[in-house]
Amino acid sequence: MEKTQIAALGEFGLIEHLTKQLTLRQPSSQKGVGDDAAVINPAKLGKDARLLMTTDLLLEGIHFNLEYVPLKHLGYKAAVVNFSDIYAMNGTPTQITVSLGLSARFALEDVEELYAGIRLACERYGVDLVGGDTSASMTGLTISITCIGMAADKDIVYRNGAKNNDLICVSGNLGTAYMGLQLLERERLAYNGTSVNGSTIDAFEGREYLLERQLKPEARRDIVEQLRKAGIKPTAMMDVSDGLSSEIMHICHQSKCGCAIYEDKLPIDYQAAVLAEEMNLNIVTCALNGGEDYELLFTCDIKDYEKLVPLDDVYIIGHITQPEYGTLLIGRNGEELSLQAQGWQAFKQE
Amino acid sequence: MEKTQIAALGEFGLIEHLTKQLTLRQPSSQKGVGDDAAVINPAKLGKDARLLMTTDLLLEGIHFNLEYVPLKHLGYKAAVVNFSDIYAMNGTPTQITVSLGLSARFALEDVEELYAGIRLACERYGVDLVGGDTSASMTGLTISITCIGMAADKDIVYRNGAKNNDLICVSGNLGTAYMGLQLLERERLAYNGTSVNGSTIDAFEGREYLLERQLKPEARRDIVEQLRKAGIKPTAMMDVSDGLSSEIMHICHQSKCGCAIYEDKLPIDYQAAVLAEEMNLNIVTCALNGGEDYELLFTCDIKDYEKLVPLDDVYIIGHITQPEYGTLLIGRNGEELSLQAQGWQAFKQE
């Protein structure tokens, strides 16, 4: 079937086409797409409410490779990574705006796929798409999403509240999204004829979870809800997008403290460990420095220990120390290593 | 002097460097750059306040050409065009987030220039820069700005409130930014050795106003303030970014009405008219379809006529009609032409 050129619709036609099915679910969304600006009614959020605002820019060739990332998944992920930032403040995402830059190789059907993913994420998380901008692009796809969320002032968790002896916790597992990316990259190279050790026809079989973690991550709303129900307010929190090492160092820097993370406490997925072995990668390094986990990293007062233990999918991986101890990884034999923030280096030295 | 490679700082170093001098001026800005999300306190805006949210994506090669656009001007303009959208709702801009995609050819000093322009715009308009995202880019410069503003609910002006017999008004003048762009393009071609009729060494002399309108536009806060002081609430309003024709057609479409715009009432700058003559362009066409004026287009009840007349830099250019009359331009000899929304065609058919 022939695809529809975007030029045939024009910018306004495209926006109308993409946004005609949008419904507003949030009581605070007073006016969505279609004017100079969206209108949000903060009074609907309660009198102690604060608005949270975060933004993410995703560029083709830097943040994603369309050779193996389906557009619907990409749209879903682009929205979810913003929601994750709002949950990391202990808030609830409520509205997003979506800006797209589209080069001539994208047809209407492609943009519909991308939007279908964004809409699905919005539905699942109860978020309204209230505006955006759409433009031609000289090269490739650009996605810029800004997310508004809400939280009562007393509930907001910043990065700077960790105190000595606080427990350090993380949700889910670490390094799995990174291993999913390694798997996709290996198969891409194999497919393109570059010989890569270990590539096989059925490379993805039984490894769907790794792919899902990379291609279609979820934001940990469930963890924020569990914490609330358990009556736990973390002392500091952020989401793990650039790797655990980098993130815990942010918390320690902003909270003016040190930390001890225990290697044997790091939650690691079995499939990820098997693939790392197969690819000759150190899974602990992947867990510490692989990006895009979108798990929540948080610190809690030690008095919350009893409440923390029963929580589902939450792992205590270490504790906060005095700043002079530095940021340490304690190895399996008790050896102390300084954490390195390799993380996601968007500006690699060439 | 050798420039500083961004890679030498890394993403976090760059963000820290760019944001360390930021101060928050708005009482509603509770937390700016440095956490997963910025925090805005809507209670500080008054109990009837609404938040306005708008976003703009600017891509190199599509929206700007760095051969003649200085980075500081570009930063200024990128911020101001968002403020313009908030004023067009009859609101006040309060916070922005700025996302940048930077290819390897941009050095730290370049980004500082761009940021200096953004900061200057923020200072002039009293807006806080509260967050953003910075990333490498494969090709060129990407700027995505999202702006939050505020307005009391009863003051918000949408596009859909125009009524039959309302006066149609516009601020400033039209087509001038477009003529500034033509001038810059002509000189760029001349500079690059392409022979262009009319190009001279002193081409810019005495034409600074045209360049300023293109390179460093202002948002019409002054018009919004004048209207408020005069006790006029427009029935519909938007800013003129894609050309008058396109914008008035948006208002008529959303307000379900027609319009009559009088050619001889269109405010046209003298310098722009002279250059159009010189370049064999029809200045009325430029005024109707040239983009990036960032003037305010609004409709007012006819009972406000006496209050409108004394306003500075506001021109009555026509009136709203019944929908069946269509959207008309009335020529100098009384002839009726249907308005065409050429405007800014981001997705030109190739």
Side-chain angles (χ1 to χ4, degrees):
Chain A
M1 198 185 71
E2 208 174 312
K3 289 189 171 181
T4 315
Q5 281 211 351
I6 290 173
L9 284 90
E11 182 181 352
F12 301 124
L14 175 65
I15 293 172
E16 200 162 316
H17 181 84
L18 293 173
T19 58
K20 67 185 172 199
Q21 306 152 36
L22 291 177
T23 48
L24 299 179
R25 296 173 202 88
Q26 289 286 343
S28 61
S29 298
Q30 181 166 326
K31 166 81 188 172
V33 173
D35 217 298
D36 293 279
V39 181
I40 297 168
N41 183 351
K44 298 276 181 187
L45 305 175
K47 73 179 169 51
D48 188 36
R50 298 292 179 271
L51 278 132
L52 309 169
M53 184 182 189
T54 182
T55 190
D56 247 324
L57 178 65
L58 298 178
L59 300 170
E60 185 175 352
I62 302 286
H63 301 96
F64 56 88
N65 184 335
L66 292 178
E67 282 185 78
Y68 53 71
V69 178
L71 283 163
K72 189 171 173 181
H73 288 66
L74 180 62
Y76 190 88
K77 181 170 173 175
V80 161
V81 301
N82 278 283
F83 304 162
S84 181
D85 277 319
I86 299 292
Y87 291 120
M89 302 292 287
N90 205 22
T92 303
T94 46
Q95 285 91 11
I96 55 168
T97 57
V98 176
S99 292
L100 299 178
L102 301 160
S103 69
R105 78 186 151 90
F106 293 95
L108 177 62
E109 289 76 7
D110 300 323
V111 189
E112 283 174 337
E113 276 293 293
L114 186 72
Y115 248 74
I118 295 171
R119 270 206 304 269
L120 180 61
C122 284
E123 274 165 36
R124 288 229 179 129
Y125 289 87
V127 172
D128 289 338
L129 200 171
V130 295
D133 193 11
T134 310
S135 162
S137 149
M138 294 298 277
T139 48
L141 177 61
T142 300
I143 309 173
S144 175
I145 295 188
T146 301
C147 184
I148 293 287
M150 60 144 297
D153 193 27
K154 64 176 175 35
D155 293 335
I156 298 176
V157 178
Y158 296 91
R159 295 178 178 178
N160 64 2
K163 307 174 316 295
N164 194 24
N165 294 323
D166 278 358
L167 300 168
I168 300 172
C169 306
V170 74
S171 64
N173 51 53
L174 299 172
T176 318
Y178 180 79
M179 288 317 300
L181 180 64
Q182 298 312 307
L183 182 60
L184 285 162
E185 273 292 329
R186 185 179 74 176
E187 297 314 303
R188 180 181 70 85
L189 295 173
Y191 186 81
N192 291 349
T194 313
S195 159
V196 181
N197 177 38
S199 173
T200 60
I201 292 291
D202 55 356
F204 293 151
E205 213 177 283
R207 285 168 168 162
E208 292 78 5
Y209 179 63
L210 303 183
L211 300 183
E212 197 181 304
R213 289 283 287 172
Q214 169 57 223
L215 296 175
K216 195 163 168 290
E218 299 292 344
R220 299 307 304 259
R221 170 172 55 180
D222 59 324
I223 299 294
V224 167
E225 285 171 356
Q226 278 196 73
L227 289 168
R228 204 168 296 161
K229 274 183 202 158
I232 301 170
K233 183 187 171 188
T235 51
M237 183 154 62
M238 65 186 294
D239 72 335
V240 183
S241 56
D242 297 336
L244 178 70
S245 282
S246 165
E247 314 301 24
I248 191 68
M249 288 172 76
H250 278 301
I251 286 182
C252 289
H253 177 71
Q254 293 204 22
S255 300
K256 299 185 178 60
C257 61
C259 72
I261 300 278
Y262 293 86
E263 182 183 336
D264 61 354
K265 303 286 186 195
L266 295 177
I268 287 170
D269 173 69
Y270 174 74
Q271 284 185 31
V274 169
L275 182 63
E277 183 75 25
E278 193 182 311
M279 293 179 88
N280 255 325
L281 292 167
N282 181 332
I283 188 65
V284 173
T285 307
C286 297
L288 289 171
N289 298 312
E292 306 193 278
D293 291 315
Y294 301 107
E295 295 296 345
L296 289 174
L297 170 69
F298 54 95
T299 56
C300 287
D301 193 293
I302 194 145
K303 75 172 165 45
D304 286 328
Y305 176 78
E306 297 293 337
K307 294 184 200 163
L308 273 171
V309 172
L311 297 189
D312 191 36
D313 216 18
V314 168
Y315 306 93
I316 300 173
I317 59 170
H319 57 86
I320 295 293
T321 63
Q322 306 271 18
E324 53 271 28
Y325 288 95
T327 51
L328 298 178
L329 177 72
I330 315 296
R332 287 175 198 277
N333 303 315
E335 70 278 22
E336 295 183 353
L337 296 161
S338 266
L339 286 170
Q340 305 290 329
Q342 292 187 336
W344 168 268
Q345 290 288 348
F347 297 99
K348 273 192 220 95
Q349 197 99 35
E350 268 130 55
Chain B
M1 198 183 72
E2 209 173 312
K3 289 190 171 181
T4 314
Q5 281 209 353
I6 291 173
L9 283 90
E11 182 181 351
F12 300 124
L14 175 66
I15 292 172
E16 199 163 315
H17 181 84
L18 292 174
T19 58
K20 68 185 171 199
Q21 306 151 36
L22 290 178
T23 47
L24 300 178
R25 295 173 204 88
Q26 289 285 342
S28 60
S29 299
Q30 182 167 325
K31 167 81 187 173
V33 172
D35 217 298
D36 293 280
V39 181
I40 297 168
N41 183 351
K44 298 275 182 188
L45 305 175
K47 74 179 168 49
D48 188 36
R50 297 294 179 268
L51 279 131
L52 309 169
M53 184 182 189
T54 183
T55 190
D56 248 322
L57 178 66
L58 298 178
L59 300 169
E60 186 174 351
I62 302 287
H63 301 96
F64 56 87
N65 184 335
L66 292 177
E67 283 185 77
Y68 54 71
V69 178
L71 283 162
K72 189 170 173 182
H73 287 67
L74 180 62
Y76 191 88
K77 181 170 172 175
V80 161
V81 301
N82 278 283
F83 304 162
S84 181
D85 277 320
I86 299 293
Y87 291 120
M89 302 292 288
N90 204 23
T92 303
T94 47
Q95 285 91 11
I96 56 169
T97 57
V98 176
S99 292
L100 298 179
L102 300 161
S103 69
R105 78 186 151 91
F106 293 95
L108 177 62
E109 290 75 7
D110 299 324
V111 189
E112 283 175 337
E113 276 293 291
L114 187 72
Y115 249 73
I118 295 171
R119 270 205 304 268
L120 180 61
C122 284
E123 274 165 35
R124 289 229 180 129
Y125 289 86
V127 172
D128 290 338
L129 201 171
V130 296
D133 192 10
T134 309
S135 161
S137 149
M138 295 296 278
T139 48
L141 177 62
T142 300
I143 308 173
S144 175
I145 295 188
T146 301
C147 184
I148 293 287
M150 60 144 298
D153 193 27
K154 64 174 173 41
D155 293 335
I156 298 176
V157 178
Y158 296 92
R159 296 179 179 177
N160 64 2
K163 309 175 313 296
N164 194 24
N165 295 322
D166 279 358
L167 300 168
I168 301 173
C169 307
V170 74
S171 64
N173 52 53
L174 299 171
T176 318
Y178 180 79
M179 289 315 302
L181 180 63
Q182 298 311 306
L183 183 60
L184 286 162
E185 273 292 329
R186 186 179 74 177
E187 297 313 303
R188 180 181 70 83
L189 295 174
Y191 186 81
N192 291 349
T194 314
S195 160
V196 180
N197 177 37
S199 173
T200 60
I201 292 292
D202 55 357
F204 293 151
E205 214 177 284
R207 284 167 168 164
E208 292 79 5
Y209 178 63
L210 303 184
L211 300 182
E212 198 181 304
R213 290 282 287 172
Q214 170 58 224
L215 296 175
K216 194 162 169 289
E218 299 292 343
R220 299 308 303 258
R221 169 171 57 178
D222 60 324
I223 300 293
V224 168
E225 286 171 356
Q226 278 194 73
L227 288 168
R228 204 168 296 161
K229 274 183 201 157
I232 302 170
K233 183 187 171 190
T235 51
M237 182 154 63
M238 65 186 295
D239 72 334
V240 183
S241 55
D242 297 337
L244 178 70
S245 282
S246 165
E247 314 301 25
I248 191 69
M249 287 172 77
H250 278 302
I251 286 182
C252 289
H253 177 71
Q254 294 206 21
S255 300
K256 299 186 179 58
C257 61
C259 71
I261 300 278
Y262 293 85
E263 181 183 336
D264 63 352
K265 303 287 186 195
L266 295 176
I268 287 170
D269 173 69
Y270 173 75
Q271 284 185 31
V274 169
L275 181 64
E277 183 75 27
E278 194 180 310
M279 294 179 88
N280 255 324
L281 294 167
N282 181 332
I283 188 67
V284 173
T285 307
C286 298
L288 290 171
N289 298 313
E292 306 195 277
D293 292 312
Y294 301 108
E295 296 295 344
L296 289 174
L297 171 68
F298 54 96
T299 57
C300 287
D301 193 291
I302 195 145
K303 74 170 167 44
D304 287 326
Y305 176 78
E306 297 292 339
K307 293 184 202 163
L308 273 171
V309 172
L311 298 188
D312 191 36
D313 216 19
V314 169
Y315 306 92
I316 300 172
I317 60 170
H319 58 86
I320 295 293
T321 63
Q322 307 270 19
E324 54 271 27
Y325 288 94
T327 52
L328 298 178
L329 177 73
I330 315 295
R332 287 174 198 278
N333 303 313
E335 70 278 20
E336 295 183 351
L337 297 160
S338 266
L339 286 170
Q340 305 290 328
Q342 292 188 337
W344 168 266
Q345 291 289 347
F347 298 99
K348 274 190 220 101
Q349 198 99 34
E350 268 131 57

